[in-house]
Amino acid sequence: MFEIFKDKSGAFRFRLKAKNGQIILVSEGYTQKTNCQKGVSSVKRNSKNEDRFELKQSANKKWFFNLKAGNGQIVGTSELYDNETNAKNGVKSVMNNAPTAETFDLSK
């Protein structure tokens, strides 16, 4: 499921959670809820294409991935994983869950 929420600074963000409740993808902050909702739609569309995922390693040697839109803009970033295999499993989870995930608005 997607959850739209307001962070401490008042920005709108979304997170994608797996069925077990684990957060598998988060967004940047948006000033308007409509743009955040468009971000959710973009994740649903782009998560169907494995080529839109970019695996990376952070400075502390943890793995993560970004999901990019067709224009190359990052629409979501994963949590940090201990190894590349777990990050790849995270990509599969986003691909399986995002396209049909329900959206819940917690920002009300």
Side-chain angles (χ1 to χ4, degrees), residues 34-90:
T34 54
N35 291 336
C36 186
Q37 292 165 328
K38 288 176 185 176
V40 169
S41 296
S42 181
V43 169
K44 288 183 174 196
R45 275 191 320 275
N46 289 292
S47 63
K48 298 174 188 176
N49 184 346
E50 194 169 4
D51 293 339
R52 299 281 164 89
F53 290 89
E54 175 186 49
L55 275 174
K56 299 186 99 176
Q57 198 170 24
S58 66
N60 67 355
K61 304 297 184 197
K62 301 273 185 176
W63 288 86
F64 69 99
F65 58 86
N66 291 318
L67 174 60
K68 293 185 173 186
N71 63 3
Q73 181 179 353
I74 295 172
V75 291
T77 300
S78 74
E79 300 293 326
L80 293 174
Y81 296 91
D82 289 330
N83 57 58
E84 184 177 10
T85 300
N86 290 346
K88 287 180 178 178
N89 288 337

